[in-house]
Amino acid sequence: MDKPVLVVMAAGMGSRYGGLKQMDPMDDAGHVILDFSVYDAMLAGFEKVIFIIKRENEEVFRECIGDRIAKRMQVTYAYQDLDALPEGYTVPEGRQKPFGTGHAVLCCKDQVNGPFAVINADDFYGRRAFQMIYDYLSSPKEENGRYQYVMVGYIMENTLTENGYVARGVCRIDESGHLMEIHERTRIERHGDETVYTEDEGASWVKIPEGSIASMNMWGFEQNLMDELEQRFPAFLEENLSENPLKCEFFLPSAVQQLMEEQKAEVAVLKSEDRWYGVTYKEDKETVMKAIADFKANGIYPEQLWEA
């Protein structure tokens, strides 16, 4: 069995944050959030990481992050190019936004030969999450005729920011701990004591039950997901490009939801009690820096992560 590899989606533009948020230092040593995630992944057992980036950002990404991680892990790059589209499709005029997380993962198809984990570049997941997902991907599964995937789920209230709205996959879990439904909600925020989302620019709000499980795009897959994404992406473009040419996105959770509905896949949910940290907005940075300083003070991380 091939060892699991880590796939990091780092091509997002950080539109709400402003600038390349993945490269914003979070401590005096110059580490970014991604350093801590990949370090935790390395301790869990991952030996190879694939960074999905924009081609034009490669030089600065290598300089700011990739080269130092390459001292202790195998590092490769995949490029989420806007024009990496199926035959017969072209980039709509004026589009700058990448085509979403499903497209991002598809862009590293040629580099994945076995089980792999997927994370966002700008979310702090916590060490236990990486150990759980590595152990799951490394363990043998009983064949049951379905793809056997895994997701680390977080308590929704632990994933919010006080500084604005967030996008999360809102999940429903069955009694056996498997994912039943996941729906991407792109505007979730806290209103008083309630967590709510809107799909009509705030004209109406829907309450999310307290304690709901949120997906932070921390997934574990088999290689077969790549073939499924490749087959589904053209249908997505056919349906959505004409309606929303500049902003439609091929979401990874939506593809997973389709596979579950077709009874082709089942997804085990590993629950994390950890608090999410991230920099959705510039105002979040102070909170993240304090948390990392506390982790270091408690001996969880060394001052220099990548010095052997």
Side-chain angles (χ1 to χ4, degrees), residues 164-180:
Y165 64 87
V166 296
R168 300 284 182 260
V170 181
C171 304
R172 195 157 66 90
I173 317 298
D174 68 17
E175 292 180 355
S176 68
H178 285 81
L179 187 63
M180 295 176 66

Side-chain angles (χ1 to χ4, degrees), residues 136 141-142 144 146-151 171-182 213 219 256-257 260 265-271:
Y136 183 93
K141 314 290 186 302
E142 286 189 18
N144 64 2
R146 298 182 184 181
Y147 306 145
Q148 297 187 50
Y149 301 155
V150 65
M151 182 198 91
C171 304
R172 195 157 66 90
I173 317 298
D174 68 17
E175 292 180 355
S176 68
H178 285 81
L179 187 63
M180 295 176 66
E181 290 181 339
I182 180 166
I213 296 298
W219 298 92
V256 173
Q257 178 68 31
M260 291 192 300
E266 63 181 27
V267 181
V269 178
L270 309 176
K271 293 184 182 179

